[in-house]
Amino acid sequence: MRITSGPFAWPIADDEVREALAKSYRDGSWGIYDGPEGEQLAAELCQYFGCEHALLCSSGTIGVELALRGCGVTAGDEVVLGAYDFPGNFRAVEAIGARPVLVDVSSDTWSLDAEQLAEIIRPEVKAVIVSHLHGGLVDMPAVVALARGRGWSVIEDACQQPGAQLGGRAIGSWGDVGVLSFGGSKLLTAGRGGALLTSDAQILQRVKIYCDRGNQAFPLSELQSAVLRPQLSKLRERNRIRGKRVAQILAQTTQLSPWLRPALGPANAEPAFFKLAWSYLPAESQAEMREPLLAELQAAAAPFGAGFRGFASRSGRRCEKPLPLATSVRLSQSTILLHHPVLLAQEKAAHEVTAVLDYFVRELVLSNK
Ligand SMILES: Cc1ncc(COP(=O)(O)O)c(C=O)c1O
């Protein structure tokens, strides 16, 4: 049992990207500090995300740290984030000298649980980092209302879901500041890179001052901007195709529900799929059950990997854990992720992925009986 329609390379062939690279070589803009490509990309991001300012930067990881600084978070403050999240977000809080406060994630969305967030009543909290993960989306109206009431800033990490929508509004535009990644595996890629989105002039000003070391300290180049612009113009259509494939895969895997539970966005949402997540239920109680499944899937050339390790087991010297983190613990050991390039491949690829998943889940479950 093996997938034949791969390998699923990323980025995919794109004539407009090739032309952008050729143009950059022809006109010499690959060698300049700043120019029209960066300016136009920033303007196009503002339009796409419905915000007033877009500040280009060198990665999503530094973007989250800059966003915290822009919101005025300083040493000694506390910052809330999900106990299942990208590791760099925890480090970004630490880099400032602030202290992470962990909350649990929702077992439906893999993302921060707005109900548990409401139970965090701590005067030291200055901001909350909200990451939209694996096709699940956080209940932003609830988070934003709560944060307004408590005087917290909201940093919205949209690195995994550019172009996703909630209630008709772009993910990344709900918070005080949104963060995008243009890393090599991401839906919009320049190999490296990121951006901040905000409509708050004070946040923008603070970030600019922090980044100005006589030169922009965390820049995105003209060449990177040039290859991102054609991808941004195709993002909506590509997200639509990915969403269709995900619906197809989920419909074809419903019979695996005793063993696999997929991530689901809220009803009024249009997620974007950088990863599609399932919890492999046998591994929720026995962590060692996941590895054999992943090994079989990978040997069959199916592009699956493990989820984040999460922070619940991190030392109390490094973070606060005021509430139970049971869902984060379970998902940290049970999550399997399908990587997105397969979702833009031919329909046959999605069928093959489903067949392989079905085959190995059943085989392993039966052999463990
Ligand atoms: C949720 C999330 N935030 C931030 C990042 C960091 O982005 P970058 O790789 O551009 O530093 C990632 C990267 O995978 C991510 O998944």
Side-chain angles (χ1 to χ4, degrees):
M1 186 74 170
R2 209 183 140 73
I3 291 196
T4 56
S5 51
F8 306 105
W10 191 257
I12 51 175
D14 186 325
D15 287 343
E16 285 184 74
V17 169
R18 191 178 35 205
E19 177 47 31
L21 288 166
K23 177 174 172 295
S24 189
Y25 185 77
R26 278 197 306 274
D27 65 17
S29 59
W30 61 274
I32 65 176
Y33 279 102
D34 300 303
E37 295 292 343
E39 284 165 21
Q40 282 167 35
L41 175 63
E44 286 160 7
L45 288 171
C46 286
Q47 195 179 18
Y48 195 102
F49 287 90
C51 61
E52 285 175 33
H53 315 284
L55 188 131
L56 308 177
C57 65
S58 53
S59 71
T61 302
I62 196 70
V64 171
E65 182 184 325
L66 295 176
L68 288 165
R69 293 186 187 280
C71 291
V73 175
T74 54
D77 290 336
E78 291 185 347
V79 176
V80 182
L81 77 165
Y84 177 92
D85 197 358
F86 175 67
N89 289 353
F90 189 102
R91 293 287 292 116
V93 177
E94 289 187 319
I96 288 179
R99 194 162 168 79
V101 177
L102 304 183
V103 292
D104 213 356
V105 294
S106 142
S107 55
D108 287 336
T109 65
W110 268 245
S111 302
L112 188 136
D113 180 345
E115 282 178 25
Q116 205 192 71
L117 182 66
E119 292 176 46
I120 301 288
I121 301 173
R122 303 171 66 94
E124 301 84 2
V125 171
K126 191 81 181 251
V128 52
I129 300 175
V130 181
S131 293
H132 302 282
L133 298 174
H134 312 341
L137 293 170
V138 179
D139 180 353
M140 288 312 291
V143 169
V144 169
L146 183 72
R148 294 286 166 269
R150 306 253 165 104
W152 303 340
S153 299
V154 177
I155 289 115
E156 201 184 355
D157 178 342
C159 291
Q160 292 205 355
Q161 300 210 38
Q165 302 247 336
L166 183 69
R169 182 166 164 181
I171 284 301
S173 73
W174 284 87
D176 296 285
V177 51
V179 183
L180 300 176
S181 165
F182 305 136
S185 60
K186 296 297 191 309
L187 302 183
L188 296 172
T189 181
R192 298 279 175 180
L196 298 191
L197 309 166
T198 187
S199 294
D200 184 322
Q202 195 186 11
I203 291 179
L204 181 74
Q205 188 60 10
R206 283 204 197 101
V207 176
K208 279 188 167 168
I209 290 170
Y210 182 78
C211 292
D212 183 0
R213 316 269 164 103
N215 205 335
Q216 221 284 38
F218 311 101
L220 191 81
S221 71
E222 274 292 275
L223 185 54
Q224 287 171 302
S225 297
V227 299
L228 285 163
R229 293 183 55 216
Q231 295 176 68
L232 183 62
S233 73
K234 291 176 185 143
L235 182 63
R236 195 159 283 131
E237 175 58 9
R238 288 181 176 172
N239 277 348
R240 192 189 64 75
I241 297 170
R242 283 186 280 257
K244 211 171 105 189
R245 289 282 189 273
V246 166
Q248 179 191 333
I249 291 172
L250 293 182
Q252 288 170 357
T253 47
T254 47
Q255 70 282 7
L256 294 177
S257 61
W259 311 291
L260 283 182
R261 185 172 46 75
L264 297 172
N268 57 346
E270 277 176 48
F273 290 96
F274 166 62
K275 306 275 183 187
L276 172 60
W278 285 268
S279 175
Y280 180 47
L281 300 177
E284 289 201 0
S285 48
Q286 281 176 278
E288 64 281 7
M289 301 291 272
R290 177 174 62 179
E291 201 37 53
L293 176 62
L294 283 177
E296 295 285 15
L297 292 170
Q298 286 160 359
F304 281 90
F308 294 133
R309 293 171 69 172
F311 315 131
S313 60
R314 292 212 170 159
S315 157
R317 286 196 302 278
R318 291 178 74 185
C319 57
E320 300 290 333
K321 299 182 237 182
L323 296 165
L325 302 172
T327 305
S328 301
V329 171
R330 284 203 308 275
L331 295 182
S332 301
Q333 57 192 45
S334 68
T335 300
I336 63 167
L337 299 173
L338 178 65
H339 193 36
H340 67 86
V342 72
L343 303 173
L344 280 190
Q346 325 113 310
E347 201 170 340
K348 179 180 167 218
H351 284 299
E352 285 194 311
V353 164
T354 336
V356 160
L357 193 57
D358 191 282
Y359 179 85
F360 287 113
V361 166
R362 288 178 197 279
E363 189 185 71
L364 284 169
V365 169
L366 288 178
S367 69
N368 281 316
K369 279 225 165 103

